[in-house]
Amino acid sequence: MKKIGVVLLTNDLRLHDNATLTEAIKENDEVIPLFCWDEKYMDSLQFGFSRMGKIRKAFLKKVLEDLHQQFKSIGGYLLLNQGSQLEVFEALVSQYSIHKVYTKKQVGIEEKRENDRLKNFLLSKGIDFEVYSTSTVYHPSDLPFSMSSIPEVFTKFRKTVEKEAVVRQPILAPSSIACPTISKDLQEIDAVIQNLQLDSRHALPELGGETAALKYLNTYLFEKQHILHYIDTRNELIGIDFSSKLSQWLSLGCISPKLIYHEIKRFEHEVTSNDSTYWLIFELLWRDFFRFSFKKHPLHYFQLHGILGKSERKPTKNSDIIDSWVLGETPNSFVNAAMKELKATGWTSNRMRQIVASYFIYDLEQDWRIGAAYFESQLIDYDVSSNWGNWAYIAGVGNDPRAGRKFNTEKQEEQYDKEKRYQRIWNAI
Ligand SMILES: Cc1cc2nc3c(=O)[nH]c(=O)nc-3n(C[C@H](O)[C@H](O)[C@H](O)COP(=O)(O)OP(=O)(O)OC[C@H]3O[C@@H](n4cnc5c(N)ncnc54)[C@H](O)[C@@H]3O)c2cc1C
């Protein structure tokens, strides 16, 4: 009898540097690459916002279509089934004699619970279940600290890993895959999901899945060499090239952070190195830092008092005020511009994310978790630890040694949008 493995893909939607896939191919005669499209979870509400807004869904759909093509090019397919992981596997185990399920380690608490439920179900059927870490620059087992002693402050984390840890080489994409015959592979995703059509003023590169991500990385680094000015431009607000624009692909795992790291190192070796090339890696380490901090504090980032367990502030919850922020109708036109950009495109720059989050927390005096939940619904690059970690940081209940960041919007506007160019673009809606 043929040995069949299932690769349960979640936010690791790529062929390259994907240990789940490589191991499954190595250990089995046939492999089923599977994605569970769980509409019920996506539409469930959190502080009144659906977990996955329509821009995020449309982008995911695009990424899955690309992944299906990628699998086809190596002789396989992507099986896309609707339902929760448990529902999908209940049906799958009745059709196939599955030997083992391979998936990536989750960091969000609900995703972890779902994995646990699935694991228990599979083990009860005698099916092995193994998780792999695939989403950070540094592999967790290469860190110079245990998960429970990850430093609470970024600088200490960064300096230690830079000195004591090594980034593994990315694993090459498989050149072939054998999948069992199946009647339907990429099912038609519900017709209600629109195709990805962003407002034409968006600041993102051409979106797609792994194929687009790899192509764009090469353009950004080697063809256009935009990385050379990253440190000077990363706080800008308008255009495509001022920052790397890799976050949406990182969030769904279309590109490996290890690969980005090694490509930047190759650029430094073959072209040149400067403060900018270093700084892009520095920012990627923030992402690692929040992810590892989440492993250390799995529950606290979703609580009002965060990882500190206390806060001086007593926020209110006023739905008119919250709506005015979401719709970009507050008394502050700079904030409004970013909120309109976010609504129309699922994206706004890091600088504007900081400003609108600070405004929500300190000027509008609302519960920071409501803002974080809106970002979760809306951001095309939503990433559980980067989003909730940054919100907690600004609210002063996260990893900020200065206990919170209130931004002076007037000063920020003076520095970053003196001529009101950004506001003119977005407030013209
Ligand atoms: C309130 C708030 C919420 C945020 N939510 C998210 C989120 O859900 N998903 C997300 O990817 N980023 C989030 N960020 C971080 C940051 O704004 C985005 O990663 C960045 O704007 C994406 O654009 P880029 O890829 O061009 O970034 P670049 O400036 O080119 O940075 C390169 C990469 O480094 C990482 N990075 C950069 N800054 C940060 C940071 N502050 N924290 C963690 N990682 C960082 C990202 O992976 C990014 O793609 C948030 C920041 C704030 C202030």
Side-chain angles (χ1 to χ4, degrees):
M1 200 166 60
K2 282 187 177 161
K3 226 172 160 186
I4 299 179
V6 177
V7 177
L8 171 60
L9 295 151
T10 55
N11 46 355
D12 54 345
L13 302 176
R14 62 175 186 265
L15 299 192
H16 74 277
D17 197 31
N18 195 340
T20 59
L21 190 60
T22 322
E23 285 306 304
I25 292 174
K26 210 171 12 177
E27 292 182 359
N28 296 279
D29 302 311
E30 291 182 330
V31 173
I32 304 175
L34 167 75
F35 184 88
C36 304
W37 184 276
D38 187 356
E39 196 90 23
K40 241 190 281 161
Y41 177 75
M42 293 169 177
D43 291 343
S44 64
L45 297 182
Q46 183 181 215
F47 293 105
F49 303 112
S50 66
R51 284 180 194 269
M52 204 178 210
K54 59 181 191 207
I55 295 178
R56 277 187 64 201
K57 268 193 201 168
F59 176 52
L60 174 58
K61 179 183 169 197
K62 206 163 173 132
V63 166
L64 291 172
E65 282 164 355
D66 177 70
L67 191 61
H68 181 53
Q69 292 308 320
Q70 295 274 84
F71 274 116
K72 270 172 90 173
S73 74
I74 59 166
Y77 54 75
L78 174 67
L79 178 65
L80 178 67
N81 280 2
Q82 308 220 20
S84 71
Q85 292 178 1
L86 202 54
E87 287 163 351
V88 169
F89 271 93
E90 276 168 353
L92 213 59
V93 297
S94 63
Q95 291 170 46
Y96 296 97
S97 168
I98 298 166
H99 155 246
K100 187 167 165 181
V101 174
Y102 306 73
T103 194
K104 86 179 272 285
K105 215 172 195 162
Q106 295 295 334
V107 67
I109 193 72
E110 283 166 19
E111 291 80 358
K112 270 162 68 173
R113 282 189 190 130
E114 187 172 29
N115 264 0
D116 287 344
R117 280 195 292 272
L118 178 62
K119 182 179 174 182
N120 290 338
F121 168 75
L122 293 171
L123 293 181
S124 75
K125 301 275 173 201
I127 300 168
D128 285 344
F129 179 83
E130 195 158 343
V131 292
Y132 296 80
S133 295
T134 63
S135 47
T136 43
V137 173
Y138 288 96
H139 193 278
S141 36
D142 299 336
L143 291 176
F145 3 70
S146 66
M147 251 348 126
S148 59
S149 50
I150 297 287
E152 299 293 1
V153 175
F154 172 69
T155 309
K156 185 150 183 236
F157 166 82
R158 176 183 59 80
K159 286 189 174 162
T160 317
V161 293
E162 281 176 347
K163 207 155 82 197
E164 296 178 31
V166 172
V167 180
R168 296 181 184 186
Q169 285 296 331
I171 311 165
L172 290 179
S175 53
S176 66
I177 186 169
C179 301
T181 317
I182 213 153
S183 52
K184 265 195 203 163
D185 39 44
L186 189 75
Q187 292 177 353
E188 198 49 49
I189 308 169
D190 199 336
V192 295
I193 295 157
Q194 56 167 26
N195 284 319
L196 187 61
Q197 263 171 354
L198 297 180
D199 183 295
S200 59
R201 290 163 290 185
H202 71 81
L204 291 162
E206 187 70 36
L207 291 176
E210 177 178 19
T211 315
L214 294 175
K215 187 162 168 254
Y216 188 73
L217 179 67
N218 190 55
T219 307
Y220 181 78
L221 294 181
F222 291 96
E223 280 175 28
K224 303 247 171 97
Q225 303 194 352
H226 289 307
I227 190 173
L228 290 175
H229 55 71
Y230 174 72
I231 200 164
D232 302 314
T233 57
R234 59 180 284 274
N235 278 311
E236 289 181 7
L237 315 181
I238 304 169
I240 292 176
D241 310 325
F242 65 81
S243 62
S244 77
K245 305 292 169 72
L246 291 169
S247 56
Q248 65 286 343
W249 289 308
L250 280 163
S251 75
L252 291 181
C254 306
I255 194 160
S256 151
K258 264 192 272 159
L259 178 83
I260 300 175
Y261 172 92
H262 281 292
E263 284 296 281
I264 297 172
K265 288 287 164 196
R266 183 164 77 86
F267 180 87
E268 289 183 329
H269 183 69
E270 291 177 9
V271 185
T272 186
S273 65
N274 64 12
D275 289 349
S276 285
T277 58
Y278 168 73
W279 212 261
L280 191 53
I281 292 177
F282 175 101
E283 292 299 337
L284 285 167
L285 294 193
W286 265 108
R287 183 176 170 277
D288 268 26
F289 173 66
F290 280 128
R291 194 158 280 258
F292 294 133
S293 301
F294 253 63
K295 293 192 180 196
K296 179 175 177 182
H297 303 285
L299 280 174
H300 296 97
Y301 282 100
F302 303 104
Q303 294 169 355
L304 181 61
H305 296 154
I307 61 169
L308 293 191
K310 60 179 169 55
S311 163
E312 300 297 303
R313 303 183 50 259
K314 292 209 174 15
T316 51
K317 186 178 173 212
N318 179 316
S319 46
D320 289 341
I321 293 180
I322 295 164
D323 285 353
S324 72
W325 179 76
V326 164
L327 297 170
E329 293 172 358
T330 73
N332 186 307
S333 122
F334 193 33
V335 167
N336 293 346
M339 295 310 293
K340 285 176 181 158
E341 180 186 22
L342 181 60
K343 196 165 184 359
T345 70
W347 201 87
T348 190
S349 64
N350 184 58
R351 178 58 41 185
M352 290 315 302
R353 291 181 203 202
Q354 291 176 314
I355 293 168
V356 301
S358 159
Y359 188 78
F360 187 79
I361 297 165
Y362 299 103
D363 295 88
L364 301 180
E365 299 185 328
Q366 301 300 302
D367 180 338
W368 66 272
R369 296 170 304 165
I370 300 173
Y374 176 63
F375 268 36
E376 173 168 343
S377 176
Q378 199 60 24
L379 277 177
I380 202 165
D381 63 11
Y382 170 69
D383 172 284
V384 60
S385 41
S386 296
N387 186 55
W388 290 82
N390 271 293
W391 271 94
Y393 187 95
I394 295 172
V397 295
N399 304 81
D400 185 0
R402 271 171 38 191
R405 307 265 154 162
K406 177 172 177 1
F407 285 69
N408 178 328
T409 47
E410 278 155 29
K411 268 200 191 148
Q412 294 288 320
E413 186 181 338
E414 174 72 17
Q415 193 171 349
Y416 298 106
D417 196 30
K418 197 169 176 179
E419 309 297 329
K420 298 192 191 297
R421 276 183 58 223
Y422 177 70
Q423 289 169 73
R424 273 202 299 279
I425 293 175
W426 290 104
N427 287 335
I429 289 178

